Amino acid sequence: MGKDTSLNLYAPMQEQLDRIIAVIERDDAARAVLNQDADGWRRLLAISPFVSTYIQQRPERLAALLHNRNTAFDLSAFRQSAEALISIEDAAEFDRELRRLRNEQMVLITTRDVLGLATLEHTLAHLSSMADMLVDICLRWQYEKLVVRHGYPLTESGDHMPLVVLGMGKLGGRELNFSSDIDLILAYEHDGNTTGPATLTHHEFFTRLVQRLYQSLNKTTEHGFVFRVDLRLRPYGNSGPMVMSFSAMEEYYQTQGREWERYALIKARAIGKDVTAGKELLETLQPFVYRRYLDFGVIQSLRDLKAMIDRETVRKDRQDNLKLGPGGIREIEFIGQVFQLMRGGQDRALRSRSTPLILSRLAERGLLEQAESDQLIAAWRFLRLTENHLQQMYDRQDHALPKNEVDQHRLALSMGFSGWSDFLAELAQHRQLVQHVFDGVFAESAGPGEGSSTRGFWLSINDESLEQDYLESLEYRDGTALAERLQALKTKGVYQRLSSRGKELMDSLMPGIIDRASGLDDPDEAITRLVNVISAIAPREVYLALLVESESAREQLAKLCSASSWVTEVITKNPALLDELIDPRHLYVAPSREQLNIELTPVLVDMDEHDVEMQMERLRRFKQAQQLRVAAADIMQTMPLMRVSDHLTWIAEAMVNVALELAWDYLAARHGHPMYELDGARKRAEFGVFGFGKLGGIELGYGSDLDLVFVHNSQGNAQVTDGDKSIDNTTFFTRLAQRLVHLLSTLTPSGVLYEVDTRLRPNGKSGLLVSSLNAFEIYELEEAWTWEHQALVRARPISGGLEVCAGFQEIRNRVLSQPRDPQQLVKDVLEMRQRMRDELDKSTADQFDLKQGVGGIVDIEFMVQYAVLSGANKYPELLEFTDNIRITETMSRIGMITGEQAQTLIDAYKAYRLDLHHRVLQGLERCTPEAQYSKERAEVGRIWQQLF
């Protein structure tokens, strides 16, 4: 900071300083504080004529200001001072004291800010809280004066009906700047009449109340003003009523609400002492602000709003405007709010009113680059701090940079620069970065197929004629069939049912789709799948808008639909997955196990325990999105087979974990936690979910069922829950398992999460859904068939308490380690294999069933299971893993088979499973031409004969 500049600014105020010093010298404590920071005090006087003028007019307040400047804003102390105003009877005195309290706080805020004793965030919060309380105090004072003559408006329950105050803009976001207007929308719960004596309708009563509130806060007297109040954001703007009932407001937004009003309501916050009714109103307006689906349809309307902003920013009087100028505050806020409108319906974490927090979350979700987010936040802080310091000079609502040299020096000094040119250089850098990101977010797509011959072809399609030769010129094999399909789509299909906006979007989209599909490996199959997707999504124009807006989404959709009928079907049933196609960097990189749980966290935010449908829909959408990413990486051959199964298994584990947590919380809230007594100690019983089959073997495929077994460790005495509505533990765990299965397997609009098979539990379908550890052990040791022990080879804990999971593992190892009669074991295994082959093998003379055919997947699995059952009593390392490949490797290490044989089995197993994965993605059956794997089958057969 340049000392000469500071002294030059300070000199004109020498007379003021002399008066201040005279006051200071009469107060030892004040003099001591001043002497500790004489340079800081001189700097404050130089920067803020507002503070200097206040001290000159109220010198007796200086000592208190000096004492309080190191004290952070005390909400309770300020509220106490504000509450004291309620007892004032005279209106003029009330208004005067309201302004006195406001001015004292503004001087204190300026002092702390300029002297570096408060962060920007603290200053904005201080200003917002002060505004909240002063509006509330003024409202309550005017309310009580009005009811003396007209009586109270009453709620349906007979309580005094409040005026609901919604703070908008920076006040709503708790980011109020120093001399800002406060934007308010006002409402009351319902119509009716006051209790008298001079009865008014509720609308008349609250209109008068709003008028008094507005006048009391807004009017300028010799003592200043409280806040400039702006009511133009209300329904119908200046031409609308000052206050409306809840029902009238809901009606307005449902039928006449415009896009900019959605944008404005993002920041809306109920303020005042009692905000219950205000929060209820805002909750009813959420569907207007945030669509339940990804709202890419909002982009064009927001682009129009951006165009208006662009037209404003090029005006000469806006170039130096911190708020409205190019690269200014409004552009930063607009970037965040655009993504909020598009995605806030599905991602509640994007409904925050805090600008920096939203920008951070956009980076976390990959919607902005991290560097862009950091730059925008830094620019926002710099601009907001500059705006505050600019307004702290004269307590004026200034947004334009000062023109005179003295005020320029003041502002540069307050921002920590030695000169105006240094300040301007950094300001320009921030604004250029903001404008670059702002323009990038709204970059206009040329539109798929714009200006191409294909567009003319598409627009010319009608009932009477269609030129199929053009399609054949694009390398489609069957131009006639495709022409008929497109003609049906446009003249008889979904196109005819679209709005004019929907038809415009289809006309923009289809030419590019036709051109892109013609360049794929099988264009006829690709265009068929793409038309199916577009026909399914077209009634929801937002998805058409997404594909029109995002070239990346169109490109990835074409690639994936061409490569996979499974992907086509998944997206057709769940169009919200189109959002996953926007960013290829995200699409083709499936998350790690740890990252999967991190990405799941936002899905669980604000999860309503009572809204089971919402819980199931969120989990299904998340699972489908993650499986799509795995499939995309698989199709593009960026992920090997074993990693594909790992990722699909991790997704299933995450879904089971969340579903179990939801089910447990639901029951525990009603009945308490299951407890039991053992050896004189009271313990909490645990529940475990155990995966068998592909889930247990970490070998899940696309669309695999989950084989689950449920076990608890409750035992001893007093096996009951500890809640007010106590139930026995067996009932608790049975209901828990039933609710878990319900959450996983119930059909919703987004499909099922997973089909669940519980038949591998003790006694199968006729057995209890949940077993105790003791019962499970007895059954496995004394009653289970050999095939059930084979199933136990691929069993492992998925979710639940540590003790019950450890107990299950001990039982598994004990059961599988039993000595067995070798001949009987071979007999049992071969009989079960033959039975399965007779019932399930789909092989024919010229087709090989990859799963059940001779030498196929199940043969390899049976050899692995036989090895564990026959050898685990001698070689406990066979129990370490549950997947076939690592068990096969262990078989080689202990000498049950040779290394060459192990590699043969592993290679064949991988080849079969990879083929199965890709057949699922292509929608094909599991049978291949008989000769395709003849060598592998023969080698597997030879090892089978040797082993048995």
Side-chain angles (χ1 to χ4, degrees):
M1 169 171 33
K3 186 175 181 182
D4 292 341
T5 300
S6 177
L7 291 173
N8 289 340
L9 289 171
Y10 171 70
M13 289 171 277
Q14 187 64 50
E15 185 179 344
Q16 291 181 9
L17 181 59
D18 291 340
R19 294 194 186 97
I20 293 169
I21 291 174
V23 174
I24 292 173
E25 289 177 344
R26 293 196 295 268
D27 188 294
D28 293 340
R31 184 171 60 251
V33 173
L34 178 61
N35 290 336
Q36 290 173 9
D37 189 12
D39 288 341
W41 187 251
R42 184 182 299 110
R43 183 167 177 264
L44 173 64
L45 292 175
I47 287 170
S48 179
F50 163 63
V51 172
S52 298
T53 300
Y54 177 85
I55 293 172
Q56 186 176 10
Q57 294 173 347
R58 302 285 302 274
E60 73 279 4
R61 302 301 302 171
L62 177 61
L65 174 64
L66 290 173
H67 284 308
N68 293 333
R69 64 177 181 164
N70 289 312
T71 305
F73 178 56
D74 188 333
L75 196 67
S76 59
F78 182 76
R79 177 173 288 281
Q80 187 176 4
S81 298
E83 291 279 357
L85 304 185
I86 292 289
S87 61
I88 297 174
E89 290 295 330
D90 180 67
E93 182 185 357
F94 174 77
D95 285 348
R96 182 175 64 252
E97 289 303 303
L98 201 62
R99 283 153 178 75
R100 179 193 61 76
L101 188 58
R102 179 262 186 197
N103 290 335
E104 285 183 358
Q105 286 298 311
M106 297 300 261
V107 170
L108 178 59
I109 290 169
T110 302
T111 302
R112 288 177 48 73
D113 192 355
V114 171
L115 296 182
L117 301 173
T119 65
L120 172 67
E121 287 75 15
H122 288 150
T123 298
L124 300 181
H126 186 158
L127 288 161
S128 301
S129 296
M130 181 186 72
D132 283 2
M133 286 187 236
L134 291 180
V135 170
D136 181 53
I137 291 299
C138 187
L139 173 61
R140 288 162 55 194
W141 193 91
Q142 297 292 353
Y143 187 98
E144 291 304 320
K145 297 298 177 284
L146 200 59
V147 298
V148 171
R149 175 169 172 75
H150 302 291
Y152 287 97
L154 300 180
T155 65
E156 292 178 347
S157 60
D159 297 325
H160 296 168
M161 185 187 298
L163 175 68
V164 168
V165 182
L166 302 182
M168 309 293 287
K170 291 181 172 64
L171 175 61
R174 295 189 186 277
E175 296 170 351
L176 197 65
N177 55 291
F178 186 79
S179 192
S180 175
D181 290 354
I182 56 173
D183 296 295
L184 304 178
I185 292 179
L186 303 135
Y188 58 92
E189 292 185 51
H190 62 82
D191 289 314
N193 296 304
T194 62
T195 55
T199 302
L200 295 175
T201 66
H202 287 178
H203 184 263
E204 291 170 332
F205 177 89
F206 285 113
T207 298
R208 294 188 187 186
L209 180 58
V210 171
Q211 290 169 339
R212 292 187 177 195
L213 175 69
Y214 181 86
Q215 286 296 320
S216 187
L217 293 172
N218 199 71
K219 67 183 177 183
T220 300
T221 72
E222 67 272 23
H223 305 289
F225 62 96
V226 184
F227 287 104
R228 288 173 292 270
V229 179
D230 192 335
L231 304 180
R232 290 176 296 175
L233 292 181
R234 68 186 187 270
Y236 304 105
N238 278 340
S239 62
M242 298 182 79
V243 62
M244 297 175 71
S245 68
F246 283 12
S247 59
M249 193 166 283
E250 291 173 44
E251 171 80 13
Y252 169 82
Y253 286 117
Q254 287 175 4
T255 60
Q256 301 184 54
R258 292 157 290 180
E259 290 299 337
W260 72 261
E261 289 177 298
R262 293 178 60 197
Y263 168 80
L265 283 169
I266 287 174
K267 294 279 192 181
R269 175 175 62 89
I271 66 174
K273 190 172 183 179
D274 182 5
V275 297
T276 303
K279 288 181 176 179
E280 291 174 358
L281 173 61
L282 286 175
E283 192 61 35
T284 66
L285 300 181
Q286 290 297 289
F288 167 69
V289 183
Y290 298 108
R291 308 298 194 234
R292 292 186 64 183
Y293 45 84
L294 285 164
D295 193 4
F296 278 80
V298 77
I299 290 181
Q300 188 55 52
S301 57
L302 291 177
R303 241 189 219 130
D304 295 339
L305 189 55
K306 176 191 179 287
M308 181 191 72
I309 293 173
D310 290 343
R311 288 194 297 273
E312 289 183 357
T313 58
V314 298
R315 288 167 43 184
K316 290 183 179 180
D317 63 338
R318 292 287 169 86
Q319 294 304 299
D320 289 334
N321 192 299
L322 296 169
K323 178 181 178 181
L324 304 177
I329 295 167
R330 182 168 64 173
E331 291 189 1
I332 300 173
E333 294 174 338
F334 201 59
I335 290 167
Q337 288 167 326
V338 164
F339 285 107
Q340 287 181 278
L341 285 186
M342 284 195 296
R343 299 170 179 274
Q346 287 199 327
D347 189 345
R348 293 184 69 90
L350 292 181
R351 299 186 187 183
S352 170
R353 302 180 184 93
S354 164
T355 300
L357 182 57
I358 284 299
L359 295 173
S360 294
R361 288 178 176 171
L362 292 178
E364 290 170 4
R365 286 152 176 75
L367 301 171
L368 285 178
E369 295 289 345
Q370 186 63 56
E372 292 177 334
S373 172
D374 293 342
Q375 290 165 357
L376 289 173
I377 292 170
W380 180 86
R381 299 188 85 259
F382 186 88
L383 289 165
R384 291 303 310 274
L385 193 61
T386 302
E387 180 184 49
N388 265 2
H389 287 185
L390 178 63
Q391 295 179 359
Q392 285 165 357
M393 287 186 200
Y394 300 102
D395 190 17
R396 291 198 305 246
Q397 192 184 18
D398 291 328
H399 298 288
L401 296 175
K403 301 297 184 183
N404 70 79
E405 186 176 345
V406 172
D407 285 347
Q408 288 175 349
H409 282 308
R410 282 193 171 106
L411 185 58
L413 187 65
S414 73
M415 293 295 292
F417 293 89
S418 59
W420 182 243
S421 59
D422 292 340
F423 165 76
L424 285 181
E426 181 154 341
L427 174 63
Q429 185 178 7
H430 283 300
R431 292 174 70 170
Q432 287 167 6
L433 288 168
V434 171
Q435 201 163 21
H436 174 73
V437 179
F438 183 69
D439 291 339
V441 168
F442 289 95
E444 293 236 23
S445 166
E450 284 292 332
S452 69
S453 301
T454 309
R455 179 172 175 79
F457 163 79
W458 169 260
L459 293 176
S460 68
I461 293 176
N462 55 46
D463 287 321
E464 299 174 359
S465 63
L466 185 61
E467 186 54 67
Q468 62 265 23
D469 290 346
Y470 178 75
L471 294 172
E472 291 175 357
S473 74
L474 296 178
E475 307 300 327
Y476 286 105
R477 292 191 309 275
D478 192 344
T480 301
L482 176 55
E484 291 173 353
R485 188 176 301 118
L486 294 174
Q487 186 177 50
L489 170 67
K490 190 172 182 188
T491 63
K492 301 173 186 175
V494 68
Y495 183 90
Q496 291 299 317
R497 299 190 293 275
L498 297 178
S499 66
S500 58
R501 169 65 176 155
K503 288 177 180 177
E504 288 176 6
L505 290 168
M506 279 281 277
D507 291 342
S508 292
L509 176 64
M510 284 304 299
I513 292 293
I514 294 169
D515 280 341
R516 181 66 186 92
S518 69
L520 297 170
D521 291 340
D522 186 346
D524 292 70
E525 186 63 39
I527 193 66
T528 297
R529 293 173 181 174
L530 286 166
V531 167
N532 288 341
V533 171
I534 292 168
S535 297
I537 69 172
R540 301 276 286 278
E541 293 176 9
V542 63
Y543 297 125
L544 291 178
L546 184 156
L547 291 175
V548 170
E549 294 291 342
S550 173
E551 181 180 358
S552 175
R554 295 193 302 272
E555 178 67 18
Q556 307 318 316
L557 180 66
K559 283 183 182 178
L560 294 177
C561 285
S562 173
S564 171
S565 63
W566 181 86
V567 170
T568 304
E569 183 178 359
V570 168
I571 294 177
T572 300
K573 291 180 179 178
N574 305 281
L577 294 175
L578 289 170
D579 180 51
E580 299 297 320
L581 309 183
I582 293 172
D583 186 354
R585 297 167 302 175
H586 175 83
L587 175 63
Y588 296 109
V589 180
S592 66
R593 195 179 212 152
E594 295 74 20
Q595 186 63 32
L596 189 70
N597 289 319
I598 293 172
E599 293 187 15
L600 184 56
T601 300
V603 178
L604 307 180
V605 173
D606 298 329
M607 189 83 88
D608 185 349
E609 66 168 306
H610 302 290
D611 192 343
V612 180
E613 182 179 353
M614 186 249 318
Q615 294 173 0
M616 292 192 292
E617 280 294 291
R618 285 195 186 181
L619 293 180
R620 280 150 180 74
R621 286 196 295 265
F622 181 82
K623 174 240 184 175
Q624 290 157 357
Q626 301 307 321
Q627 280 199 338
L628 179 63
R629 291 169 69 180
V630 175
D634 191 359
I635 290 167
M636 296 301 149
Q637 300 181 353
T638 61
M639 183 183 293
L641 167 70
M642 299 303 290
R643 299 299 292 169
V644 169
S645 290
D646 285 349
H647 281 284
L648 293 174
T649 302
W650 296 340
I651 294 168
E653 290 173 352
M655 295 300 94
V656 171
N657 272 311
V658 172
L660 178 59
E661 183 178 345
L662 291 171
W664 183 283
D665 289 347
Y666 175 85
L667 286 168
R670 284 151 182 77
H671 305 293
H673 296 280
M675 308 294 291
Y676 65 93
E677 285 184 12
L678 188 67
D679 299 329
R682 189 82 171 139
K683 298 183 178 181
R684 179 178 291 186
E686 294 182 348
F687 179 85
V689 181
F690 303 93
F692 283 62
K694 291 180 181 177
L695 176 61
I698 319 175
E699 295 168 350
L700 279 186
Y702 304 103
S704 292
D705 296 350
L706 302 186
D707 292 300
L708 300 180
V709 170
F710 308 119
V711 178
H712 67 80
N713 69 346
S714 183
Q715 57 183 311
N717 301 316
Q719 298 185 48
V720 294
T721 63
D722 60 3
D724 294 335
K725 297 181 179 179
S726 179
I727 56 176
D728 65 87
N729 290 354
T730 299
T731 301
F732 180 93
F733 288 126
T734 300
R735 292 180 184 176
L736 179 63
Q738 290 169 337
R739 191 168 184 85
L740 174 60
V741 172
H742 176 76
L743 289 171
L744 293 172
S745 60
T746 297
L747 181 64
T748 74
S750 295
V752 298
L753 196 57
Y754 290 96
E755 296 287 356
V756 175
D757 191 336
T758 62
R759 290 175 296 177
L760 290 176
R761 67 184 186 267
N763 293 308
K765 284 184 177 180
S766 62
L768 296 174
L769 183 59
V770 186
S771 300
S772 69
L773 273 177
N774 292 337
F776 183 79
E777 181 176 16
I778 291 171
Y779 178 84
E780 291 291 341
L781 289 172
E782 299 179 5
E783 301 179 46
W785 298 80
T786 299
W787 68 264
E788 291 178 288
H789 289 173
Q790 288 180 247
L792 202 58
V793 170
R794 293 209 289 176
R796 65 186 179 90
I798 302 299
S799 183
L802 294 177
E803 289 186 13
V804 71
C805 288
F808 178 91
Q809 288 284 65
E810 291 176 6
I811 293 169
R812 172 185 179 270
N813 294 348
R814 192 178 310 126
V815 170
L816 296 180
S817 299
Q818 294 178 98
R820 288 176 169 82
D821 181 333
Q823 292 182 337
Q824 185 63 44
L825 178 60
V826 169
K827 179 176 180 294
D828 290 346
V829 171
L830 292 179
E831 285 180 354
M832 176 52 67
R833 181 68 193 101
Q834 189 59 50
R835 179 180 171 185
M836 290 180 67
R837 185 172 290 134
D838 292 342
E839 295 178 2
L840 303 174
D841 189 0
K842 296 182 179 180
S843 299
T844 63
D846 57 356
Q847 292 285 307
F848 166 54
D849 185 334
L850 284 164
K851 184 174 180 181
Q852 294 290 347
V854 175
I857 287 174
V858 176
D859 278 2
I860 296 174
E861 291 175 345
F862 264 57
M863 284 190 277
V864 168
Q865 292 160 13
Y866 168 77
V868 174
L869 295 181
S870 64
N873 62 321
K874 296 179 182 178
Y875 305 104
E877 54 263 54
L878 285 167
L879 302 176
E880 184 177 355
F881 302 111
T882 59
D883 61 285
N884 289 301
I885 288 179
R886 285 186 292 184
I887 295 176
T888 302
E889 291 170 343
T890 305
M891 291 165 60
S892 170
R893 285 199 301 272
I894 64 177
M896 295 187 78
I897 56 176
T898 66
E900 182 180 355
Q901 289 173 325
Q903 195 59 52
T904 295
L905 292 178
I906 290 171
D907 290 345
Y909 191 69
K910 285 183 176 180
Y912 296 156
R913 285 188 56 219
L914 183 63
D915 199 339
L916 268 182
H917 273 300
H918 290 170
R919 285 179 169 276
V920 171
L921 291 175
Q922 286 289 357
L924 301 175
E925 296 293 332
R926 68 187 191 215
C927 292
T928 68
E930 192 275 337
Q932 182 173 351
Y933 293 106
S934 58
K935 179 181 177 182
E936 289 85 351
R937 293 172 62 197
E939 290 175 345
V940 170
R942 281 193 291 272
I943 299 172
W944 174 278
Q945 291 298 327
Q946 178 181 331
L947 196 63
F948 287 106

